[in-house]
Amino acid sequence: MVVALRYVWLLLLCSPCLLIQIPEELMEPPVITEQSPRRLVVFPTDDISLKCEASGKPEVQFRWTRDGVHFKPKDELGVTVYQSPHSGSFTITGNNSNFAQRFQGIYRCFASNKLGTAMSHEIQLMAEGAPKWPKETVKPVEVEEGESVVLPCHPPPSAEPLRIYWMNSKILHIKQDERVTMGQNGNLYFANVLTSDNHSDYICHAHFPGTRTIIQKEPIDLRVKATNSMIDRKPRLLFPTNSSSHLVALQGQPLVLECIAEGFPTPTIKWLRPSGPMPADHVTYQNHNKTLQLLSVGEEDDGEYRCVAENSLGSARHDYYVTVEAAPYWLQKPQNHLYGPGETARLDCQVQGRPQPEITWRINGIPVEELAKDQKYRIQRGALILSNAQPSDTMVTQCEARNRHGLLLANAYIYVVQLPAKILTADNQTYMAVQGSTAYLLCKAFGAPVPSVQWLDEDGTTVLQDERFFPYANGTLGIRDLQANDTGRYFCQAANDQNNVTIVANLQIKGQATLATWLAVPLGGRVQVSGGHQSDFPTHPLPSDATQIVQGPRSTIEKKGSRVTFTCQASFDPSLQPSITWRGDGRDLQELGDSDKYFIEDGRLVIHSLDYSDQGNYSCVASTELDVVESRAQLLVVGSPGSVPRLALSDLHLLKQNQVHLSWSPAEDHNAPIEKYDIEFEDKEMAPEKWYSLGKVPGNQTSTTLKLSPYVHYTFRVTAINKYGPGEPSPVSETVVTPEAAPEKNPVNVKGEGNETTNMVITWKPLRWMDWNAPQVQYRVQWRPQGTRGPWQEQIISDPFLVVSNTSTFVPYEIKVQAVNRQGKGPEPQVTIGYSGEDYPQAVPELEGIEILNSSAVLVKWRPVDLAQVKGHLRGYNVTYWREGSQRKHSKRHTHRDHVVVPANTTSVILSGLRPYSSYQLEVQAFNGRGLGPASELTFNTPEGVPGHPEALHVECQSNTSLRLHWQPPLSHNGVLTGYVLSYRPLDEGGKGQLSFNLRDPELRTHNLTDLSPYLRYRFQLQATTKEGPGEAIVREGGTMALSGISDFGNISATAGENYSVVSWVPKEGQCNFRFHILFKALGEEKGGAYVSYNQSSYTQGDLQPDTDYEIHLFKERMFQHRMAVKTNGTAPVCFSSQNLGVPELAPFRTVSTDAFFPVSLSLSLFTTPQGPDFMSILRGPRSGSGLGGSVGVSPSGRVRLPPAGFATEGWFIGFVSAIILLLLLLLILCFIKRSKGGKYSVKDKEDTQVDSEARPMKDEAFGEYSDNEEKAFGSSQPSLNGDIKPLGSDDSLADYGGSVDVQFNEDGSFIGQYSGKKEKEAAGGNDSSGATSPINPAVALE
């Protein structure tokens, strides 16, 4: 059997109790196992239960005594005895106040069998009746305001502690503070009474926890007589009343010292310890510092304590002399022992106490003094000694220690028995350990007499010859500093006078470990090894069989609230089960359920949200069942300081000089030195919850004398500050009030200004409340005209302003404002000059003239005004100017006015940013605080300047060597135009230099350029001129017709409706216009399409079949340029596919229909005739199923034209359609007539407009409802339907084109076919849809 050897075995090695495990076959002396407490207080209706239970063999018999007299519970009426083998307890039922009195007394239980008698401690039974307040007549208490008074409580006595409360008749607690306090005796103390204390229902309530009863005293009527003069008086102690007292405090118990004082102003209490420092670690101050409590009294707390009551008139004190005594306590408690015949038995009973306890012995419950004198025992120095013990001497002894504070009792038996030696440890156990560690071999023996134990090696010699081997009293053998040759068998031999027994222990040493337990020292390289030795950290690796920590945690310093990570890497013997655990300050660390405080995984310990309680030593423990290695690191948590724990005010008599001494206890620095303390104060009367700083003191200082202001209710607090910032503020101090005084400051920022022409408003910045030096402050305001020596007029007011009426306009006054309170006046104030109200200025600035600086700037000058006419403080001049128009033509509309404000000491200003060749109006006005005065006016003209750039320069191709330029004049002439300057140059490097020439006609709008290179691009620059020269240029680039052979259909796209398709593209900037052909082709059908202008940017093809795939081909001069595919599919837009060499695809635009009562859509189509561009067709018609449709043609000149002749113009067709329309009109009501005619859609003609050369594709959003009175614009990329669009058309045809193009596409639009020479006939047939033709389809076919 392998036994794990751990250092915790040390807890099992030295306990003598291991020898007192009596075998079950032996008898056992009685042992008390449970008993009632020493003091038992019972109340009416409580069951009285006295417990006494004991173990022993043979069975234990019980008996009781009461007050030293034999007591038989079974014979008492109402007593029930427990029927249990090991219990002598009994219960008294039917308790009431009289019944319980019969059973009061001191009880003791005796438990006996044939081996002896055990005895319980004394049990004092006290019976207490229901509490009642003694009947008394409570008279009213009359007292004058400011005097002290004590309201008595005097509750009924009780064996259990009471709880006292003072309340009123509304069950509200009486508020307690520095002035009103309840003492430990329950009385209510008033240091001084106020009229607000006048109440007739002060009621003392006593709570008896034992009976769960609260009783109340008769209400006390406190009558306070008001007085006009409350007399100040020095403090006097109300409790205790004498100058000193002596108290006895019990060690380990709490001690409460109390001082309650009266006086006016209310005294404050502080505590001192003349005999030594105050034990701050276990002292608390309560009840507004009137109570000092020592939580657990120790011997060191013996001495003198002093309370001092202070106010501004003096102090009073009381000295407590505390003597610390102690009830008896054990130094060595007697223990049960087994002895063999002939041995000497010894029981030690060592106790301590103050005073020294008296020790008495009992044998089997009988005092030794009452036993026969010929006994074999003797008592020597508190020990009972029994020589030559025999089995008949078996006994139970009692050691009892007593002083005036308590009693101790211990039962211990001497059991004399003859037993053969027996080893309780199993035989042939195997112990494993690593080299260098310590092994413990167990051998637990039992017998009487106690057997001797020795350890032998295989040769039968004792192992104790080696100093590494050491025995324990319980038989265990320890072997330190294990070596490899310690492996082997060891024999444990136990013997007494009856027999001799032996067991074998097998020891195996594993590995060659040199380190069993080591600790990583945070700040050095020394290692603490088990056994107490110190050695250097090993520089060579440990053997592989031994557990070792390769990298341990490192000491660190972290800030509060942060996170720290410790890592630990260890190596283990591969044949053993490894374990890595973490310990913090000696306790095992584990992840705490849902808490994320600790995270432990893979040799890492992460501690989150560090607090100061987390600092300490953290250990990584690497272990197997054979060895343990520990590496330790230290964690310091730093941060802002802790709160200052306590404040104390002293030298309160200095308040008359506006000073006080403040001291405090040092704050926790949290591992960063405190740099300073910030002292703040609050006035709860004037500015509650607002704190003001009084200053800072160095961090090594814990007291200071503060200079205060008069009449401020000071409550102090102190905050410690280190490099990490301020800590939490301390608890607030008591409140002190400084005496009143006259003001020490006067208001500042005194001003005198009028808000009307006949008054003066005097204002100032009010004093802060802390500068009042009294409960209220007022202001003494004085004024008189400046320069007079007459008397001052004055007024005392509380508001921070004063209005002086009936003054002359703008007259200077001398002003003084002084603070006053009921204690006197402030210092003599300074004189301030103020002025009465201003009037509007009467002065008119005299203009000296205008100096023209350039075409857009002038200099305006004027003379200073007469200050006497300003009627106030001259604040400056306001210059207003505005443009009336060009010199050629004045504007009649409202023009914007510009303003320039000029300082009072300046009489000129430059006006810039003016328009050249313009007429301006100018006004100059002086102004004061009241407003503007009258204006001086002037008109001036700005000279001519250079013009702005011409507008809309366009380049039009004429031939391969000529171009035409079109432009518009500049928007800003800035003078009289004299012509234009035209410059141009080729863009390539091989071209000629720039050519420039003047165009003398200012009305010129076009110019032709000839003899240009056919394959070069040119840069054109045009400037307008006045007599001042040429202005800003407009620049364009372009080329001749020869460059148009390079076609570029950038961003071409197509969309389709139910039976139409729109092709759109974006013309390239600077490319000349050219013509090309668009062809739509479907299986079995080919649409002729039309010739289209490049600058047109879109084309609409109608008369297509719905739900049909079409190929779109683009040709220029019979050369194929581009192809794409589109599918018609109802009125909704569909996606298209396009393929063109180098041409990117664009997402298709959408067209949308506009519904009237019938679904109606509107579309725009451009048609051509053999004669060229002819007309624009605006088509309207219902959607599928309506059977209605129509079209109107509009010529470029604005005249309405009919479509070309066709069957639709034949008379028979017209008559047939008319008959159908007439029938519908009869069947439909009048509201459909207007819609069927399409009267809502009319075209508004516009004449004499230019053609838009950059028409855009039409979007869905562009279509709307149009009438003669309304125009709806397209989006930014759409032309207006009311604008003129350049007609499409071509004189060319494909009649001589030798074949059609057959192009196939996949579903995704990719090209899969090739051209063929087969010419297909144009497919014939109508529309397969159930409705009429497409809304954008012509109603008649074009020939």
Side-chain angles (χ1 to χ4, degrees):
M1 176 180 179
V2 179
V3 179
L5 298 180
R6 303 267 182 167
Y7 53 86
V8 295
W9 286 0
L10 294 173
L11 301 175
L12 306 175
L13 299 180
C14 303
S15 175
C17 297
L18 295 177
L19 297 178
I20 314 301
Q21 296 182 357
I22 301 176
E24 294 183 0
E25 63 270 13
L26 295 181
M27 292 187 295
E28 181 183 353
V31 175
I32 300 290
T33 57
E34 186 175 359
Q35 54 189 324
S36 293
R38 297 180 181 274
R39 190 164 182 261
L40 187 62
V41 180
V42 295
F43 300 91
T45 72
D46 287 347
D47 288 339
I48 305 171
S49 179
L50 295 181
K51 287 188 176 182
C52 180
E53 297 183 1
S55 63
K57 188 186 295 183
E59 185 176 330
V60 177
Q61 302 297 318
F62 295 91
R63 61 184 176 88
W64 289 85
T65 62
R66 184 180 71 179
D67 297 330
V69 179
H70 186 61
F71 175 76
K72 294 182 179 182
K74 293 181 180 180
D75 299 340
E76 298 292 334
L77 182 64
V79 175
T80 302
V81 178
Y82 290 96
Q83 301 298 325
S84 174
H86 300 288
S87 176
S89 305
F90 63 91
T91 300
I92 305 173
T93 58
N95 181 20
N96 55 52
S97 57
N98 296 326
F99 184 79
Q101 297 291 333
R102 294 174 40 211
F103 293 96
Q104 288 191 114
I106 297 177
Y107 290 80
R108 179 161 265 170
C109 171
F110 297 86
S112 304
N113 65 11
K114 62 185 301 182
L115 296 182
T117 300
M119 183 178 69
S120 72
H121 55 230
E122 292 179 344
I123 303 171
Q124 183 180 11
L125 176 63
M126 302 178 62
E128 188 168 299
K132 292 182 180 179
W133 219 294
K135 291 185 178 181
E136 58 180 336
T137 301
V138 180
K139 297 181 179 180
V141 178
E142 296 184 356
V143 64
E144 191 172 276
E145 184 180 8
E147 293 182 354
S148 65
V149 70
V150 180
L151 302 184
C153 181
H154 303 319
S158 174
E160 295 292 318
L162 303 182
R163 296 178 184 176
I164 306 297
Y165 310 98
W166 281 88
M167 300 183 180
N168 58 20
S169 57
K170 297 181 181 179
I171 319 299
L172 298 177
H173 286 272
I174 302 300
K175 182 181 178 181
Q176 299 185 32
D177 51 24
E178 295 90 346
R179 188 178 60 86
V180 183
T181 303
M182 185 187 76
Q184 296 293 312
N185 56 11
N187 295 339
L188 190 63
Y189 296 85
F190 291 78
N192 48 78
V193 294
L194 305 176
T195 53
S196 58
D197 298 325
N198 192 93
H199 295 290
S200 61
D201 56 350
Y202 286 90
I203 305 172
C204 179
H205 295 73
H207 177 205
F208 294 81
T211 59
R212 297 179 293 277
T213 303
I214 298 178
I215 62 175
Q216 67 180 41
K217 186 183 179 74
E218 289 293 326
I220 298 178
D221 183 5
L222 177 59
R223 301 175 181 177
V224 180
K225 298 179 181 179
T227 180
N228 293 328
S229 59
M230 296 174 62
I231 302 175
D232 294 354
R233 62 185 184 279
K234 60 184 292 187
R236 177 177 65 89
L237 288 175
L238 296 176
F239 181 90
T241 56
N242 51 359
S243 61
S244 65
S245 56
H246 292 76
L247 295 179
V248 173
L250 286 182
Q251 184 173 329
Q253 300 296 316
L255 173 65
V256 177
L257 304 180
E258 184 177 43
C259 281
I260 301 175
E262 63 92 7
F264 186 78
T266 303
T268 59
I269 305 295
K270 69 177 181 180
W271 292 88
L272 306 172
R273 191 183 183 197
S275 60
M278 189 71 74
D281 57 338
H282 60 283
V283 166
T284 61
Y285 301 90
Q286 300 171 346
N287 201 10
H288 303 283
N289 228 38
K290 297 179 177 65
T291 301
L292 178 147
Q293 182 176 15
L294 294 169
L295 301 179
S296 179
V297 174
E299 292 183 5
E300 68 278 4
D301 297 325
D302 194 287
E304 180 183 357
Y305 296 81
R306 176 178 299 164
C307 69
V308 180
E310 294 178 320
N311 67 7
S312 57
L313 298 180
S315 63
R317 77 179 195 183
H318 181 87
D319 292 329
Y320 283 101
Y321 295 95
V322 176
T323 301
V324 177
E325 296 187 355
Y329 57 91
W330 294 111
L331 296 179
Q332 185 175 358
K333 187 177 180 180
Q335 303 291 335
N336 298 329
H337 277 286
L338 290 178
Y339 293 97
E343 291 187 306
T344 298
R346 180 186 178 94
L347 297 179
D348 289 300
C349 182
Q350 303 293 331
V351 296
Q352 185 62 273
R354 296 180 66 183
Q356 182 64 36
E358 177 185 357
I359 297 177
T360 59
W361 282 91
R362 292 174 181 252
I363 296 178
N364 295 324
I366 302 174
V368 293
E369 294 83 4
E370 301 179 10
L371 296 176
K373 300 297 185 180
D374 57 351
Q375 299 291 333
K376 295 187 295 184
Y377 62 84
R378 67 181 186 277
I379 297 174
Q380 183 178 345
R381 296 180 182 178
L384 188 146
I385 302 173
L386 179 62
S387 302
N388 191 22
Q390 297 300 320
S392 60
D393 295 326
T394 297
M395 65 180 71
V396 181
T397 66
Q398 291 82 34
C399 175
E400 199 169 38
R402 185 192 303 265
N403 67 9
R404 61 173 171 260
H405 302 301
L407 181 146
L408 281 181
L409 174 67
N411 286 274
Y413 60 73
I414 297 175
Y415 193 3
V416 183
V417 64
Q418 190 170 13
L419 296 173
K422 182 178 181 180
I423 298 179
L424 303 179
T425 303
D427 190 14
N428 204 30
Q429 287 196 94
T430 299
Y431 300 85
M432 295 180 65
V434 294
Q435 184 177 348
S437 65
T438 300
Y440 300 96
L441 310 184
L442 304 183
C443 184
K444 191 182 302 181
F446 181 82
V450 176
S452 62
V453 177
Q454 62 175 338
W455 285 87
L456 307 173
D457 58 18
E458 294 183 1
D459 297 332
T461 59
T462 179
V463 297
L464 298 181
Q465 295 177 359
D466 190 335
E467 63 181 7
R468 296 183 298 112
F469 292 71
F470 52 95
Y472 287 90
N474 65 351
T476 298
L477 174 67
I479 310 174
R480 68 171 64 95
D481 193 18
L482 287 171
Q483 300 175 5
N485 56 7
D486 291 331
T487 299
R489 296 194 305 166
Y490 296 85
F491 301 89
C492 174
Q493 186 179 84
N496 63 8
D497 58 0
Q498 299 181 57
N499 67 334
N500 186 331
V501 292
T502 303
I503 64 169
V504 177
N506 302 302
L507 178 61
Q508 294 182 8
I509 307 302
K510 186 176 181 61
Q512 298 177 353
T514 61
L515 183 61
T517 303
W518 59 275
L519 306 175
V521 181
L523 302 177
R526 302 291 291 173
V527 179
Q528 186 72 30
V529 185
S530 65
H533 303 290
Q534 282 192 346
S535 65
D536 293 329
F537 190 87
T539 58
H540 60 279
L542 293 175
S544 60
D545 288 345
T547 301
Q548 60 174 325
I549 294 181
V550 179
Q551 179 181 351
R554 297 183 179 180
S555 298
T556 183
I557 299 175
E558 299 293 340
K559 193 174 180 181
K560 180 180 182 291
S562 64
R563 182 183 69 180
V564 66
T565 300
F566 292 112
T567 59
C568 182
Q569 298 180 7
S571 63
F572 301 92
D573 189 305
S575 65
L576 301 176
Q577 181 66 34
S579 173
I580 294 181
T581 59
W582 290 89
R583 297 173 63 83
D585 287 333
R587 59 184 178 87
D588 291 332
L589 298 180
Q590 295 179 349
E591 295 184 9
L592 305 176
D594 296 335
S595 172
D596 56 356
K597 182 67 174 178
Y598 299 109
F599 176 77
I600 302 174
E601 184 181 47
D602 297 334
R604 288 193 310 131
L605 168 64
V606 182
I607 308 175
H608 297 272
S609 303
L610 287 175
D611 200 355
Y612 302 114
S613 60
D614 294 321
Q615 71 180 12
N617 294 317
Y618 289 85
S619 302
C620 166
V621 180
S623 62
T624 65
E625 64 244 36
L626 298 183
D627 59 348
V628 177
V629 181
E630 182 177 5
S631 176
R632 184 189 306 159
Q634 186 181 35
L635 171 64
L636 289 180
V637 180
V638 297
S640 56
S643 173
V644 172
R646 189 178 67 88
L647 303 182
L649 292 174
S650 57
D651 299 336
L652 297 182
H653 61 280
L654 296 177
L655 287 173
K656 291 184 177 181
Q657 289 81 41
N658 294 325
Q659 293 182 354
V660 73
H661 188 77
L662 176 66
S663 59
W664 58 89
S665 301
E668 289 286 343
D669 61 6
H670 292 157
N671 302 309
I674 295 176
E675 298 175 353
K676 51 193 171 184
Y677 288 99
D678 185 16
I679 303 172
E680 299 173 293
F681 77 92
E682 172 198 29
D683 191 317
K684 295 181 180 179
E685 300 292 332
M686 304 300 296
E689 299 183 1
K690 189 172 183 180
W691 292 88
Y692 302 88
S693 178
L694 272 177
K696 296 179 175 63
V697 299
N700 58 357
Q701 185 174 332
T702 57
S703 65
T704 185
T705 298
L706 302 174
K707 294 183 179 180
L708 310 177
S709 297
Y711 197 73
V712 176
H713 299 72
Y714 283 98
T715 302
F716 301 100
R717 74 180 185 186
V718 178
T719 303
I721 303 173
N722 63 11
K723 68 178 182 179
Y724 295 104
E728 291 294 324
S730 68
V732 299
S733 71
E734 58 183 300
T735 299
V736 296
V737 184
T738 50
E740 297 182 22
E744 299 173 355
K745 296 180 180 180
N746 285 321
V748 296
N749 294 338
V750 178
K751 297 179 182 179
E753 297 177 345
N755 56 11
E756 296 180 3
T757 57
T758 58
N759 74 0
M760 177 178 62
V761 180
I762 303 174
T763 60
W764 57 91
K765 183 179 180 180
L767 288 180
R768 299 183 305 166
W769 59 265
M770 60 186 68
D771 295 325
W772 293 359
N773 296 352
Q776 300 292 334
V777 71
Q778 291 182 304
Y779 302 98
R780 180 189 181 206
V781 186
Q782 298 175 287
W783 69 95
R784 68 182 179 185
Q786 186 181 18
T788 64
R789 296 186 176 274
W792 292 85
Q793 299 184 61
E794 72 173 53
Q795 190 171 343
I796 297 178
I797 59 175
S798 299
D799 296 325
F801 66 91
L802 175 66
V803 179
V804 180
S805 303
N806 300 322
T807 63
S808 300
T809 301
F810 197 64
V811 174
Y813 283 85
E814 296 177 345
I815 302 172
K816 295 192 297 182
V817 180
Q818 186 179 31
V820 296
N821 62 21
R822 64 186 183 186
Q823 299 295 328
K825 301 176 183 178
E828 182 64 24
Q830 295 182 347
V831 176
T832 301
I833 303 300
Y835 289 84
S836 57
E838 299 179 342
D839 202 351
Y840 290 104
Q842 298 178 0
V844 181
E846 180 182 350
L847 291 171
E848 293 184 344
I850 299 291
E851 179 181 344
I852 304 297
L853 300 181
N854 53 47
S855 62
S856 62
V858 299
L859 174 64
V860 183
K861 296 182 180 180
W862 60 89
R863 297 181 182 277
V865 297
D866 183 4
L867 296 180
Q869 298 297 315
V870 176
K871 301 297 182 180
H873 296 287
L874 178 62
R875 304 295 176 90
Y877 300 92
N878 183 65
V879 180
T880 305
Y881 61 98
W882 63 95
R883 182 175 181 269
E884 293 187 331
S886 171
Q887 294 186 24
R888 296 183 305 168
K889 180 180 180 180
H890 283 248
S891 175
K892 296 182 180 180
R893 63 182 181 179
H894 173 75
T895 57
H896 173 71
R897 298 192 175 205
D898 292 301
H899 301 269
V900 178
V901 177
V902 181
N905 58 355
T906 303
T907 57
S908 65
V909 65
I910 294 177
L911 305 180
S912 58
L914 305 177
R915 292 273 298 274
Y917 200 61
S918 298
S919 177
Y920 280 87
Q921 187 74 20
L922 172 74
E923 292 182 351
V924 180
Q925 298 168 282
F927 68 92
N928 59 18
R930 184 73 171 174
L932 294 168
S936 56
E937 300 181 355
L938 182 66
T939 300
F940 65 92
N941 296 323
T942 55
E944 288 191 56
V946 298
H949 62 79
E951 297 294 320
L953 178 60
H954 296 284
V955 179
E956 180 181 343
C957 299
Q958 296 288 340
S959 67
N960 289 345
T961 60
S962 64
L963 290 171
R964 172 175 290 182
L965 302 179
H966 301 263
W967 67 86
Q968 294 296 328
L971 296 179
S972 300
H973 289 191
N974 295 339
V976 179
L977 290 183
T978 59
Y980 296 91
V981 176
L982 176 63
S983 304
Y984 68 95
R985 63 178 177 83
L987 291 178
D988 64 326
E989 296 180 357
K992 300 178 181 179
Q994 179 166 307
L995 298 179
S996 180
F997 51 89
N998 294 324
L999 305 176
R1000 302 295 184 182
D1001 184 2
E1003 302 298 326
L1004 191 64
R1005 298 294 180 267
T1006 64
H1007 183 74
N1008 293 330
L1009 292 176
T1010 59
D1011 298 329
L1012 301 176
S1013 176
Y1015 298 105
L1016 292 179
R1017 291 182 61 80
Y1018 287 85
R1019 178 184 179 89
F1020 302 97
Q1021 176 177 300
L1022 184 66
Q1023 298 169 279
T1025 61
T1026 63
K1027 71 176 184 178
E1028 296 297 323
E1032 185 180 354
I1034 185 173
V1035 178
R1036 291 289 184 272
E1037 294 180 1
T1040 62
M1041 184 71 74
L1043 290 177
S1044 66
I1046 307 174
S1047 59
D1048 186 355
F1049 295 94
N1051 297 331
I1052 191 166
S1053 60
T1055 60
E1058 182 178 357
N1059 46 21
Y1060 68 94
S1061 178
V1062 178
V1063 181
S1064 60
W1065 60 92
V1066 179
K1068 184 178 179 181
E1069 177 69 23
Q1071 176 147 356
C1072 281
N1073 192 22
F1074 62 89
R1075 296 159 68 88
F1076 62 94
H1077 191 268
I1078 297 180
L1079 177 66
F1080 281 75
K1081 183 176 182 299
L1083 183 62
E1085 179 187 10
E1086 182 174 298
K1087 295 294 181 182
Y1091 279 94
V1092 181
S1093 173
Y1094 175 71
N1095 285 344
Q1096 178 181 332
S1097 75
S1098 69
Y1099 168 73
T1100 301
Q1101 174 66 49
D1103 196 24
L1104 301 178
Q1105 296 294 329
D1107 195 21
T1108 304
D1109 292 313
Y1110 283 90
E1111 298 172 0
I1112 305 174
H1113 298 176
L1114 275 64
F1115 299 92
K1116 178 188 175 187
E1117 298 175 358
R1118 300 185 180 181
M1119 297 296 295
F1120 177 78
Q1121 299 291 325
H1122 188 80
R1123 60 178 170 269
M1124 66 184 71
V1126 70
K1127 181 179 181 180
T1128 58
N1129 188 21
T1131 59
V1134 297
C1135 296
F1136 71 95
S1137 60
S1138 173
Q1139 186 168 357
N1140 184 26
L1141 300 179
V1143 180
E1145 294 184 3
L1146 280 182
F1149 65 89
R1150 297 176 297 155
T1151 58
V1152 71
S1153 299
T1154 302
D1155 294 344
F1157 187 83
F1158 284 110
V1160 178
S1161 60
L1162 178 69
S1163 180
L1164 174 68
S1165 300
L1166 303 176
F1167 295 85
T1168 61
T1169 66
Q1171 290 75 30
D1174 195 314
F1175 64 90
M1176 174 180 71
S1177 176
I1178 295 183
L1179 306 171
R1180 64 170 175 81
R1183 293 183 180 176
S1184 301
S1186 67
L1188 299 176
S1191 65
V1192 177
V1194 183
S1195 70
S1197 63
R1199 294 172 297 171
V1200 176
R1201 299 187 57 187
L1202 295 175
F1207 76 92
T1209 61
E1210 297 293 331
W1212 64 267
F1213 182 76
I1214 295 175
F1216 177 73
V1217 171
S1218 299
I1220 294 176
I1221 293 176
L1222 181 60
L1223 180 62
L1224 291 175
L1225 291 176
L1226 294 175
L1227 297 177
L1228 301 176
I1229 58 178
L1230 185 62
C1231 66
F1232 295 111
I1233 297 175
K1234 183 178 180 181
R1235 296 183 183 275
S1236 65
K1237 286 185 175 182
K1240 196 171 183 179
Y1241 297 87
S1242 64
V1243 178
K1244 184 177 181 180
D1245 298 333
K1246 293 184 70 175
E1247 298 182 1
D1248 300 328
T1249 58
Q1250 295 184 355
V1251 175
D1252 185 357
S1253 62
E1254 296 183 359
R1256 295 288 189 266
M1258 293 180 293
K1259 295 185 177 180
D1260 294 353
E1261 294 83 344
F1263 291 95
E1265 297 180 356
Y1266 294 87
S1267 66
D1268 290 341
N1269 300 324
E1270 181 178 333
E1271 295 181 11
K1272 183 172 182 180
F1274 279 61
S1276 60
S1277 62
Q1278 305 295 330
S1280 171
L1281 280 178
N1282 291 324
D1284 291 335
I1285 300 178
K1286 185 174 181 179
L1288 301 177
S1290 175
D1291 294 336
D1292 300 333
S1293 69
L1294 290 180
D1296 54 351
Y1297 185 58
S1300 62
V1301 179
D1302 183 12
V1303 183
Q1304 300 181 30
F1305 292 87
N1306 280 326
E1307 291 182 358
D1308 61 355
S1310 59
F1311 172 70
I1312 61 172
Q1314 58 182 0
Y1315 297 110
S1316 65
K1318 180 181 178 180
K1319 182 176 182 180
E1320 300 179 2
K1321 295 182 179 180
E1322 182 175 351
N1327 198 324
D1328 292 338
S1329 67
S1330 60
T1333 56
S1334 169
I1336 65 168
N1337 240 5
V1340 292
L1342 298 177
E1343 297 293 338

